Amino acid sequence: MTPDQYCEEKAAASGSSFYYSFRFLPLEKRRAITALYAFCREVDDVVDECHDENVALTKLNWWRAELTNLYAGKPQHPVTQALQPQIKAYDLPQAHFAEIIDGMQMDLEQARYTTFADLQKYCYRVASVVGLLAARIFGYTDPRTEQYAHDLGIAFQLTNIIRDVGEDARRGRIYLPVEDLQRFNVPAADIQNYRETDAFRELMNFQIERAESWYTKAIAGLPKVDKKQQRTGLMMAAIYRATLAEIKQDGPQKVLNQRLSITPIRKLWLAWKTYWFA
């Protein structure tokens, strides 16, 4: 198996909405974005699959060392081997990859966020930075596109948080800001015990509105000159916004006890529609 094939299998196995958008890219860009996504999956899996915090931290430190190897031209892992030609081709900064690892480490050190401002720092590291790297791969000419990529990353991560509230609670994490729980009178114990209360439903409606506002802000800020090159991000946004709509229609309180996902064929249709008509 070649490094590119390893990354392709990693991306396909995840079933991510992003994967369907990648299929519309030219081959070289698809290889680059798939390698980037595989890197994110590798470091994310360290945190989600390691039950021993010390082991997880050791593995993240290994990835930090491997990042140094990558930029020194001596990658050892199939993912970094696949990334090596891409970092030069698309001028991908090492600091951005380091920020992603820092974001994953936050999951080992912090299970709650007091304010939305606190949560934004986490979202920036695990999602906006990925968006900034992806924007370089897709291509852009107007520097304002970087702000679009940043804001879209926040929107994506907020959608993940909404969709995965129950799953995250089972891992001992509550990403919803404490200030929001207090505002809507939702005790943390209700989330930890998966209670689908009216107060929790209102809390989640508020979270959905917040995520939608970030999508609106991001898309409104995308310069027209770069819209065609950034279509892949718009495809992802269409799929993620459809997921938000399904959650709201189905009853947002249900995210505590089920993980809603739209079908692969619908994801592909949304990607195709956005590719041609966005």
Side-chain angles (χ1 to χ4, degrees), residues 41-182:
R41 284 258 45 93
E42 290 285 351
V43 293
D44 187 49
D45 288 348
V46 167
V47 175
D48 285 345
E49 296 178 2
C50 284
H51 301 293
D52 186 315
E53 184 176 312
N54 290 325
V55 172
L57 187 58
T58 298
K59 288 187 175 184
L60 286 181
N61 286 334
W62 184 90
W63 277 104
R64 292 183 201 281
E66 179 62 1
L67 196 55
T68 300
N69 290 337
L70 168 61
Y71 279 82
K74 299 179 292 184
Q76 300 175 21
H77 193 279
V79 167
T80 45
Q81 288 170 356
L83 274 172
Q84 186 174 20
Q86 314 304 343
I87 61 174
K88 296 178 181 178
Y90 300 102
D91 191 24
L92 305 179
Q94 181 175 350
H96 283 358
F97 287 97
E99 285 263 30
I100 295 169
I101 298 174
D102 289 342
M104 300 307 172
Q105 187 168 331
M106 288 176 74
D107 277 332
L108 301 178
E109 301 168 344
Q110 189 169 352
R112 302 290 300 277
Y113 293 87
T114 304
T115 67
F116 180 64
D118 296 331
L119 180 64
Q120 271 188 265
K121 180 179 180 181
Y122 172 77
C123 293
Y124 169 76
R125 285 179 166 176
V126 300
S128 288
V129 171
V130 181
L132 291 169
L133 287 167
R136 286 174 177 256
I137 293 170
F138 301 150
Y140 65 90
T141 56
D142 191 320
R144 291 177 298 172
T145 295
E146 292 184 1
Q147 186 63 48
Y148 148 81
H150 169 279
D151 294 345
L152 193 61
I154 299 288
F156 286 151
Q157 191 58 30
L158 293 178
T159 304
N160 287 338
I161 288 169
I162 291 164
R163 182 194 62 199
D164 298 339
V165 169
E167 185 177 315
D168 289 331
R170 281 179 271 281
R171 290 191 173 114
R173 302 177 198 145
I174 300 177
Y175 291 102
L176 304 176
V178 173
E179 65 179 4
D180 292 348
L181 270 63
Q182 293 174 342

Side-chain angles (χ1 to χ4, degrees), residues 18 34 45 113 121 185 192 201 234 237:
F18 293 163
T34 301
D45 288 348
Y113 293 87
K121 180 179 180 181
N185 297 313
Q192 292 162 340
R201 183 185 67 246
L234 297 175

Side-chain angles (χ1 to χ4, degrees), residues 5-21:
Q5 288 171 335
Y6 178 94
C7 293
E8 182 76 19
E9 288 202 6
K10 189 78 176 178
S14 73
S16 168
S17 300
F18 293 163
Y19 181 72
Y20 295 88
S21 305

Side-chain angles (χ1 to χ4, degrees), residues 201-216:
R201 183 185 67 246
E202 293 306 311
L203 168 66
M204 295 312 295
N205 278 327
F206 174 75
Q207 303 300 322
I208 290 170
E209 289 174 9
R210 174 183 278 159
E212 275 293 345
S213 73
W214 280 91
Y215 284 112
T216 300

Side-chain angles (χ1 to χ4, degrees), residues 242-261:
T243 301
L244 274 184
E246 289 285 340
I247 290 172
K248 187 168 186 176
Q249 181 178 344
D250 195 47
Q253 71 279 8
K254 294 182 181 179
V255 293
L256 283 172
N257 293 293
Q258 66 183 37
R259 188 180 190 274
L260 187 145
S261 178

